[in-house]
Amino acid sequence: MIEFNKKWQSKNSELLRLCSSLKEAISVSISKGRLVSTSTAMVPRFANTFWKEILVLSNRSILNSRRMPELFVTRLVAVLVTGFILATMFWQLDNSPKGIQERSRVFAFTMSTTFYACTDTLPVLLHERYIFMRETAYNSYKRSSYVISNALVVLPELIILSFAFTTITFWAIGLNGGFSGFLYYLLIIFASFWSGSSLVTFLSGIIPHLMLGYPIVVAILACFLLFSGFFINRDRIPAYWIWFHYLSVIKYPYEAVLHNEFDNSTECFMRGIQLFDDTPLVTIPNAMKVRLLQSFSDVLGTKITSSTCFSRGVDILRNQGITDLSKWDCLFVTLAWGFFFRILFYFSLSFGSKNKRT
């Protein structure tokens, strides 16, 4: 194409010279008042309307996805394998104290998985950014159209990933809530995928190279997981780090699934005889445990039996410091993080691509 362009220019140099002279003559005539310049306000800046741009860009993204189906298939397989491992490792958890700890670990791993699963789109987004900068330099379309179309195209994929992961893990692990709990669990998994995808999309707008992208994304997600509340409760976080706890994107879906699992004042998760499970007395016979409970009853003046409830779901949430937001608040905040990162992505494109042609 370069050689053809050189030959074409050499053959048509005279025509180009005449066109240049014609432009100069028109400019001189306008300056002398012989010709009237058309107002630039009458000339549209973009060739297509806003909705037409969104439609064209969305169709192009869908076509690119169909040409490379292995990208989505790889993500789907990774999510299915991860869900299968979780389901088989934590099969039908009980409501014992150990079961409570295992459920918290499942939720922490699940939330981190939904965010880390979105990092594989970083190379594609970085590649598309160069195409975006070249096309927007000639006002092919608006930045807002590109951001909206990018968000719309990923929604079907996120819905499929969320449904696949939720279906595999919810019933197999034995999570609480019934069908309504399943639907909420599906929503919060989708919200996590949405926030993770938006975060990676935003970072692709400010990270110049792929070699820098993966370490930065992994480090950010690791910090979010550290301050999510799983490793250390909110009331145990130092005051000078508490701000990062509320900036953690993983905090909100993690607390949401805990609310969905334990926000029940009637279901008991620790009964009298289970009081010794996390102590050195766990190995003594049950008959001895019953006698110890009777001794506690005599000392405290309250009847304590092997079936007396010591911990309910609301007590578990209170012990972990999860009391400031409800499960629906956590869901809305998680979705809002996704929209916030999309807005930041728009600004990163607006201020990061200034290669306009004149």
Side-chain angles (χ1 to χ4, degrees), residues 115 195 199 220-221 223-229 234 237 240-253 255 324-325 333-334 337 340-341 344:
F115 282 87
S195 295
L199 173 62
I220 291 176
L221 291 179
C223 292
F224 284 161
L225 179 61
L226 176 62
F227 288 93
S228 64
R234 182 189 60 183
I237 298 177
Y240 47 84
W241 279 119
I242 195 64
W243 60 272
F244 206 102
H245 171 70
Y246 290 99
L247 288 180
S248 174
V249 186
I250 303 180
K251 156 190 163 62
Y252 301 98
E255 292 187 0
D324 53 343
L325 295 174
V333 171
T334 305
W337 272 116
F340 178 68
F341 287 131
L344 292 181

Side-chain angles (χ1 to χ4, degrees), residues 4 44 51 65 71 90 95 116 122 128 136-137 141 163 165 276 295 299 301-302 310 329 336-337 345 356:
F4 174 79
W51 299 109
S65 300
L71 296 178
F90 298 95
N95 290 338
Y116 279 108
L122 186 62
E128 289 184 352
T136 53
Y141 46 81
F163 185 80
F165 186 85
F276 307 98
S295 301
V299 173
T302 302
F310 278 92
D329 292 334
W337 272 116
F345 178 54
K356 279 199 169 292

Side-chain angles (χ1 to χ4, degrees), residues 293 297 301-305 308:
L293 291 177
S297 300
T302 302
K303 184 178 181 180
I304 301 177
T305 64
T308 302

Side-chain angles (χ1 to χ4, degrees), residues 3-21:
E3 295 298 329
F4 174 79
N5 183 53
K6 291 181 179 179
K7 293 179 181 180
W8 185 87
Q9 287 184 351
S10 62
K11 291 181 181 180
N12 298 275
S13 59
E14 183 65 21
L15 179 60
L16 293 174
R17 187 184 64 80
L18 291 175
C19 291
S20 178
S21 301

Side-chain angles (χ1 to χ4, degrees), residues 279-290:
T279 67
L281 301 177
V282 66
T283 57
I284 65 176
N286 288 338
M288 180 62 70
K289 295 178 182 178
V290 172

Side-chain angles (χ1 to χ4, degrees), residues 112-356:
S112 60
T113 298
T114 56
F115 282 87
Y116 279 108
C118 300
T119 58
D120 58 353
T121 61
L122 186 62
V124 179
L125 294 170
L126 288 175
H127 176 71
E128 289 184 352
R129 190 179 68 174
Y130 295 107
I131 301 176
F132 163 84
M133 294 176 65
R134 183 179 67 246
E135 293 176 341
T136 53
Y138 294 95
N139 290 339
S140 298
Y141 46 81
K142 305 178 185 66
R143 293 173 177 82
S144 57
S145 303
Y146 177 78
V147 172
I148 294 176
S149 66
N150 180 274
L152 293 177
V153 169
V154 301
L155 288 180
E157 298 182 359
L158 300 183
I159 293 175
I160 295 175
L161 294 176
S162 304
F163 185 80
F165 186 85
T166 304
T167 305
I168 293 177
T169 57
F170 186 86
W171 307 109
I173 296 175
L175 301 181
N176 297 322
F179 185 70
S180 60
F182 170 82
L183 292 179
Y184 181 83
Y185 189 70
L186 174 62
L187 288 176
I188 197 61
I189 292 295
F190 168 76
S192 300
F193 274 118
W194 163 250
S195 295
S197 175
S198 301
L199 173 62
V200 174
T201 303
F202 161 61
L203 293 177
S204 69
I206 60 177
I207 297 175
H209 303 292
L210 179 61
M211 298 301 294
L212 296 176
Y214 276 118
I216 292 176
V217 172
V218 171
I220 291 176
L221 291 179
C223 292
F224 284 161
L225 179 61
L226 176 62
F227 288 93
S228 64
F230 171 71
F231 295 100
I232 181 173
N233 292 347
R234 182 189 60 183
D235 53 358
R236 300 285 296 174
I237 298 177
Y240 47 84
W241 279 119
I242 195 64
W243 60 272
F244 206 102
H245 171 70
Y246 290 99
L247 288 180
S248 174
V249 186
I250 303 180
K251 156 190 163 62
Y252 301 98
Y254 173 67
E255 292 187 0
V257 291
L258 287 178
H259 273 292
N260 191 50
E261 186 69 14
F262 299 119
D263 195 3
N264 191 335
S265 59
T266 60
E267 188 168 1
C268 185
F269 291 91
M270 180 186 294
R271 298 194 178 275
I273 202 169
Q274 296 173 334
L275 188 64
F276 307 98
D277 285 358
D278 292 330
T279 67
L281 301 177
V282 66
T283 57
I284 65 176
N286 288 338
M288 180 62 70
K289 295 178 182 178
V290 172
R291 287 198 293 269
L292 287 175
L293 291 177
Q294 292 176 352
S295 301
F296 293 162
S297 300
D298 297 336
V299 173
L300 298 176
T302 302
K303 184 178 181 180
I304 301 177
T305 64
S306 59
S307 60
T308 302
C309 184
F310 278 92
S311 179
R312 302 187 184 276
V314 291
D315 300 322
I316 296 173
L317 296 177
R318 189 182 304 110
N319 292 335
Q320 296 193 19
I322 304 176
T323 56
D324 53 343
L325 295 174
S326 67
K327 70 176 187 178
W328 293 107
D329 292 334
C330 293
L331 174 62
F332 294 145
V333 171
T334 305
L335 292 172
W337 272 116
F339 287 104
F340 178 68
F341 287 131
R342 294 287 172 175
I343 296 174
L344 292 181
F345 178 54
Y346 169 77
F347 285 112
S348 68
L349 295 179
S350 300
F351 296 104
S353 56
K354 295 297 185 181
N355 57 335
K356 279 199 169 292

